[in-house]
Amino acid sequence: MTVNLSLPQKADLTPVKGFAMGIAEAGIKKANRKDLLVMTLSPGSQVAGVFTLNRFCAAPVQVCRGHLALDGTKGEIRALVVNTGNANAGTGEQGMKHALETCQALAKELKLNPEQILPFSTGVILEPLPIQKIISALPKAVANLGEDHWFDAAEAIMTTDTQPKASSVTVQTPAGPVVLTGICKGAGMIHPNMATMLGFIATDAGFAPGLLTTLTREVADLSFNAITIDGDTSTNDSFIIMATGQSSVSIQSTSDPSYVVVREALITLARKLAQMIVRDGEGATKFMTIEVLGGKTPEECKLVAKAVAHSPLVKTAFFASDPNLGRILAAIGYAGIQDLDVNRVQMWLGDVWVAKNGGRNPDYQEVDGQQVMQAPEITVKIDLGRGTASQTIWTCDLSHDYVSINADYRS
Amino acid sequence: MTVNLSLPQKADLTPVKGFAMGIAEAGIKKANRKDLLVMTLSPGSQVAGVFTLNRFCAAPVQVCRGHLALDGTKGEIRALVVNTGNANAGTGEQGMKHALETCQALAKELKLNPEQILPFSTGVILEPLPIQKIISALPKAVANLGEDHWFDAAEAIMTTDTQPKASSVTVQTPAGPVVLTGICKGAGMIHPNMATMLGFIATDAGFAPGLLTTLTREVADLSFNAITIDGDTSTNDSFIIMATGQSSVSIQSTSDPSYVVVREALITLARKLAQMIVRDGEGATKFMTIEVLGGKTPEECKLVAKAVAHSPLVKTAFFASDPNLGRILAAIGYAGIQDLDVNRVQMWLGDVWVAKNGGRNPDYQEVDGQQVMQAPEITVKIDLGRGTASQTIWTCDLSHDYVSINADYRS
């Protein structure tokens, strides 16, 4: 079940000049499914990434961090390799060895240094990566490289996702058009910082050194770090922006007039991709936007939004279309703002003002709340009444299917 | 469904001298069910309580705090009144008025000051308390007062509980025997600090002023504050210890030889009661003990234990009897210990050593993990390898029935 999520159309996914993808079936967990993706970048490209904060971060995440930290001294990043079916996490020294071997094997195929490769894995944790299967399938993925394989790439990185996730946009900047196309995956173990998600966006814009790194962090915070499904932060989350610089647009600083346009487009695209993950959240039947405003700081607004978004009681009430609003107030109350004056808290369900000055709005009619709850997309707005900061989080409900998916399958 | 939880036997619930209970059917939410409990204490009794830290704490919780803070200046606490079916939370000024009116009405019946009464409510949040129904039923509850009504009292405070929860113990101290009997309720919205739970323990021991207050906080931390079902902290949680002093045992200080015996008995009884709540957790099919040791501080051990106990992915894996241990490592990794060296982390499932030095134990066989997972009671032991502190949390799994219970009923 998905919430207002349509299948991406191949024709809508614009190729990005200088960026190619090749897919193979390596048989990592199951036979006859695309489970290996190689991506290559033309010389002169820039790559920046944001990774999970989980201390049990997977071996490939550690290798990515290491290779990016080399800062081009062993050659710029020129290729990425993603496998599904196994996360290569909780695998100790052997896991690190496997991640490096994957880079070495692909480097040999592409005549690059291993340090020019970023590896990614997603799937089951604590099981050894079947490295031979990956190495054997790499030549097939390389032979398949092409600029118009976005849809297949989106399919190749799926795990418990019910459908591929991809989107594309072309924007006009003062210096000419820029193409941005991205794919992502993730359906469970989704929580800011970050989700069990992989997100890759490529653009043909160029960036001055350093600029892309700052921008990637900013974009992640406003998109993939603002979604949550079950509050579980994965070991493998990675979000990568790749800029080939093959268009006429080369952005030298944040005051560059093209910067504003490309930044805005990146945020919009990344949010759309991140929200696709929520819309395809494990067992999701409702898409919920939790908007918290009137806080002293964005951090305390996020605390409250997360408490509401994570509460199993709130999530099951939304699944049931039951305006059990007391559960939301309870979550606000335990979010962790010690000096919260609940008498200043207001809450709206869609347009309906349900809680006024910390209590039930005397004008609130349950029938109105009930009506809002029927919709597949619902916004909960909370005003803390103590400042001007705000924060928004996107999440989904908790249904029978979430339990089934996570109890019945080894994911 | 409950996990190894047997029905308390009336004959096993020893009356506490000086402590009486009266039950009535007030029809607060449903007709023909016990939903009102009055408890009275003989003159000279002492009462101490620990309450929810939720900022949206219910009106009765605020009144309890206020009356206890008076410290006997308006007369000692002599009676308690509990209603189910409505939490009187998120009800604003009217809610406060209703809580005070409940005290006034009972005070009139018992010829006490309203400040000598502690009120408790549990049930749905954000709906007005049907105060007239309560006031009308109070005389019936008072007429029913008796020392041997423990079982009925346990039934009267149930909400989504599937069975009453009560336990009793008599211990020998150097100064003579002491009786301790307690009841509690709670099945969902259960999380340390505190659960949607009400817990009441009465004893015929006597205490010097102040001593019971410190002891109650200590007992709560080792029992009701160490359980979690869904991570939701309720608006109404209260844990009360009442000491009538009607036995030969009067404890004057912590160095009193009887103190050690009574303290130990209180902790054991409170833990047993708290664990009954987990065993009757909404939809519970498994009782899990999460033991974290080798931490630098008890606080960081608790962080890790809570992350594991709250993870929906871990909880659904236990429901499925699937030793998906990577999910536990992932939870340890995101618990919030920034400088955790995962290479020093060990993990056991029951007696089976599954994770060694941060990775899969090479000697671990999945069949051994599978066997442990079949049991209804499972201990997860985690050694952080960085200190000597430890912490234990009790929790249950996340099943289809949890979703059904919380989606289908307005609780």
Side-chain angles (χ1 to χ4, degrees):
Chain A
M1 189 128 63
T2 59
V3 186
N4 292 343
L5 180 61
S6 52
L7 203 63
Q9 299 300 306
K10 283 189 187 193
D12 297 339
L13 302 174
T14 315
V16 174
K17 214 178 157 197
F19 183 76
M21 292 146 283
I23 292 97
E25 296 181 359
I28 293 166
K29 193 178 166 197
K30 290 180 193 155
N32 306 317
R33 61 150 293 170
K34 301 172 191 135
D35 54 8
L36 191 65
L37 167 66
V38 167
M39 297 178 269
T40 59
L41 291 152
S42 53
S45 294
Q46 288 207 35
V47 177
V50 175
F51 300 93
T52 182
L53 295 179
N54 195 310
R55 292 295 305 163
F56 265 103
C57 71
V61 169
Q62 296 176 56
V63 173
C64 278
R65 284 202 179 106
H67 288 186
L68 284 169
L70 289 172
D71 221 8
T73 50
K74 296 272 180 111
E76 63 204 355
I77 302 296
R78 289 285 305 285
L80 298 80
V81 51
V82 189
N83 74 269
T84 63
N86 185 303
N88 194 8
T91 44
E93 280 178 35
Q94 194 195 33
M96 282 301 285
K97 196 168 154 276
H98 286 163
L100 291 168
E101 280 171 1
T102 307
C103 295
Q104 283 154 5
L106 183 57
K108 204 173 155 191
E109 288 292 320
L110 298 173
K111 301 188 175 41
L112 298 169
N113 291 323
E115 292 81 3
Q116 291 180 279
I117 317 274
L118 299 183
F120 303 84
S121 297
T122 178
V124 67
I125 305 174
L126 213 64
E127 290 186 8
L129 189 72
I131 181 70
Q132 280 313 323
K133 289 182 180 175
I134 291 173
I135 291 177
S136 304
L138 278 174
K140 279 180 276 181
V142 169
N144 178 251
L145 281 166
E147 288 196 353
D148 58 349
H149 290 175
W150 279 105
F151 187 89
D152 290 344
E155 277 192 329
I157 62 172
M158 287 167 61
T159 52
T160 55
D161 308 65
T162 67
Q163 64 171 66
K165 301 173 179 71
S167 188
S168 191
V169 67
T170 300
V171 288
Q172 296 299 330
T173 76
V178 165
V179 175
L180 305 104
T181 304
I183 56 173
C184 68
K185 62 95 16 184
M189 213 189 255
I190 301 292
H191 179 56
N193 295 313
M194 296 180 62
T196 295
M197 49 82 38
L198 299 177
F200 301 99
I201 292 179
T203 175
D204 55 7
F207 285 90
L211 197 51
L212 192 63
T213 304
T214 318
L215 185 57
T216 301
R217 162 59 58 196
E218 200 185 347
V219 171
D221 279 344
L222 293 168
S223 58
F224 291 100
N225 278 340
I227 61 170
T228 178
I229 288 178
D230 50 20
D232 275 270
T233 303
S234 138
T235 50
N236 292 56
D237 309 320
S238 309
F239 171 57
I240 306 288
I241 301 183
M242 300 161 287
T244 64
Q246 300 280 308
S247 70
S248 58
V249 181
S250 175
I251 299 168
Q252 293 308 310
S253 78
T254 54
S255 57
D256 192 314
S258 298
Y259 176 78
V260 184
V261 182
V262 174
R263 176 184 174 279
E264 197 57 37
L266 270 173
I267 292 169
T268 306
L269 178 62
R271 269 195 183 155
K272 196 170 167 190
L273 288 168
Q275 290 179 9
M276 282 179 184
I277 291 178
V278 177
R279 292 177 188 286
D280 193 20
E282 287 172 349
T285 73
K286 293 247 168 42
F287 179 87
M288 292 147 64
T289 301
I290 316 293
E291 247 182 80
V292 178
L293 51 111
K296 281 188 183 163
T297 62
E299 290 70 30
E300 69 172 36
C301 293
K302 200 159 192 170
L303 266 187
V304 171
K306 278 167 61 174
V308 173
H310 290 170
S311 161
L313 288 171
V314 170
K315 290 166 101 77
T316 47
F318 276 81
F319 168 54
S321 300
D322 175 7
N324 193 327
L325 305 163
R327 293 181 179 176
I328 303 178
L329 288 191
I332 298 169
Y334 68 66
I337 305 184
Q338 297 309 325
D339 62 345
L340 179 70
D341 178 357
V342 298
N343 296 317
R344 301 177 70 99
V345 172
Q346 320 295 326
M347 182 172 71
W348 291 260
L349 193 63
D351 293 337
V352 180
W353 191 355
V354 292
K356 191 172 176 174
N357 304 330
R360 187 191 177 103
N361 177 1
D363 297 332
Y364 168 61
Q365 307 275 346
E366 178 129 344
V367 63
D368 297 333
Q370 193 71 59
Q371 202 173 350
V372 175
M373 291 299 269
Q374 300 303 323
E377 307 214 3
I378 301 167
T379 297
V380 176
K381 192 167 82 176
I382 297 157
D383 187 343
L384 299 175
R386 48 192 263 129
T388 56
S390 66
Q391 198 80 30
T392 299
I393 288 242
W394 296 281
T395 190
C396 59
D397 57 341
L398 172 59
S399 71
H400 281 293
D401 284 352
Y402 177 86
V403 177
S404 295
I405 292 164
N406 285 296
D408 301 348
Y409 302 106
R410 173 71 66 97
S411 61
Chain B
M1 189 127 65
T2 60
V3 187
N4 292 344
L5 181 61
S6 53
L7 202 64
Q9 299 300 306
K10 283 190 190 192
D12 297 339
L13 302 173
T14 314
V16 174
K17 213 177 158 196
F19 183 76
M21 293 146 284
I23 291 96
E25 296 180 358
I28 292 166
K29 194 178 165 196
K30 291 181 192 153
N32 305 318
R33 60 149 294 170
K34 299 170 192 135
D35 54 8
L36 191 65
L37 166 67
V38 168
M39 297 178 269
T40 59
L41 290 152
S42 52
S45 294
Q46 288 207 34
V47 178
V50 175
F51 300 92
T52 183
L53 294 179
N54 195 310
R55 292 297 304 164
F56 265 103
C57 70
V61 169
Q62 297 176 56
V63 173
C64 278
R65 284 202 179 106
H67 287 184
L68 283 170
L70 289 171
D71 220 8
T73 51
K74 296 274 181 106
E76 62 205 356
I77 302 297
R78 290 285 306 283
L80 297 81
V81 51
V82 189
N83 75 269
T84 63
N86 185 301
N88 194 10
T91 44
E93 280 178 36
Q94 195 196 31
M96 282 301 285
K97 194 166 155 281
H98 286 162
L100 291 169
E101 280 171 1
T102 306
C103 295
Q104 282 154 5
L106 182 58
K108 203 173 154 194
E109 288 291 321
L110 298 173
K111 300 189 177 41
L112 299 169
N113 290 323
E115 292 80 3
Q116 293 180 278
I117 316 271
L118 300 182
F120 304 84
S121 297
T122 178
V124 66
I125 305 173
L126 213 65
E127 291 186 7
L129 188 73
I131 182 70
Q132 280 314 321
K133 289 182 180 174
I134 291 173
I135 291 177
S136 304
L138 279 175
K140 277 180 279 182
V142 169
N144 179 251
L145 281 166
E147 289 197 351
D148 57 349
H149 291 174
W150 279 104
F151 187 90
D152 290 344
E155 277 192 329
I157 63 172
M158 286 168 62
T159 53
T160 56
D161 309 65
T162 67
Q163 64 172 67
K165 299 172 180 72
S167 188
S168 190
V169 66
T170 301
V171 288
Q172 296 299 329
T173 75
V178 165
V179 175
L180 305 104
T181 304
I183 56 173
C184 67
K185 63 95 18 183
M189 213 190 253
I190 301 294
H191 179 56
N193 295 314
M194 292 182 61
T196 296
M197 50 81 40
L198 299 177
F200 301 99
I201 292 179
T203 175
D204 54 8
F207 285 89
L211 196 52
L212 192 64
T213 306
T214 319
L215 186 58
T216 302
R217 160 60 58 196
E218 201 185 345
V219 171
D221 280 343
L222 292 168
S223 58
F224 291 101
N225 278 341
I227 59 170
T228 178
I229 288 178
D230 50 20
D232 275 272
T233 302
S234 137
T235 50
N236 292 57
D237 308 320
S238 310
F239 170 57
I240 306 288
I241 301 183
M242 300 161 286
T244 64
Q246 300 279 306
S247 70
S248 58
V249 180
S250 175
I251 299 168
Q252 292 309 308
S253 77
T254 55
S255 56
D256 191 315
S258 298
Y259 176 77
V260 184
V261 181
V262 174
R263 175 185 175 277
E264 198 55 39
L266 271 172
I267 291 170
T268 305
L269 177 62
R271 270 197 183 152
K272 195 170 168 189
L273 289 168
Q275 290 179 9
M276 283 180 184
I277 292 178
V278 176
R279 292 177 190 285
D280 192 20
E282 286 172 350
T285 74
K286 293 248 170 43
F287 179 85
M288 292 147 64
T289 301
I290 315 292
E291 246 183 79
V292 178
L293 50 112
K296 281 189 184 161
T297 62
E299 290 70 30
E300 70 173 33
C301 293
K302 200 159 192 169
L303 266 185
V304 171
K306 279 167 61 174
V308 173
H310 291 169
S311 160
L313 288 172
V314 170
K315 289 163 99 78
T316 47
F318 276 81
F319 169 53
S321 300
D322 176 8
N324 193 326
L325 305 164
R327 293 181 180 177
I328 302 177
L329 288 191
I332 298 169
Y334 67 67
I337 304 184
Q338 297 308 324
D339 61 347
L340 179 69
D341 178 357
V342 298
N343 297 318
R344 301 176 69 100
V345 173
Q346 321 295 328
M347 182 171 71
W348 291 262
L349 193 64
D351 293 337
V352 180
W353 191 354
V354 293
K356 191 172 176 176
N357 304 330
R360 188 192 176 105
N361 178 0
D363 298 331
Y364 168 61
Q365 306 277 344
E366 178 129 345
V367 62
D368 297 332
Q370 193 71 57
Q371 201 173 351
V372 175
M373 292 299 271
Q374 299 303 323
E377 307 215 2
I378 301 167
T379 297
V380 176
K381 191 167 82 177
I382 297 156
D383 186 342
L384 299 174
R386 49 192 261 129
T388 56
S390 66
Q391 199 80 27
T392 300
I393 288 242
W394 297 281
T395 189
C396 59
D397 57 340
L398 172 59
S399 71
H400 281 292
D401 284 353
Y402 178 86
V403 177
S404 294
I405 292 165
N406 284 297
D408 302 348
Y409 302 106
R410 173 70 68 95
S411 62

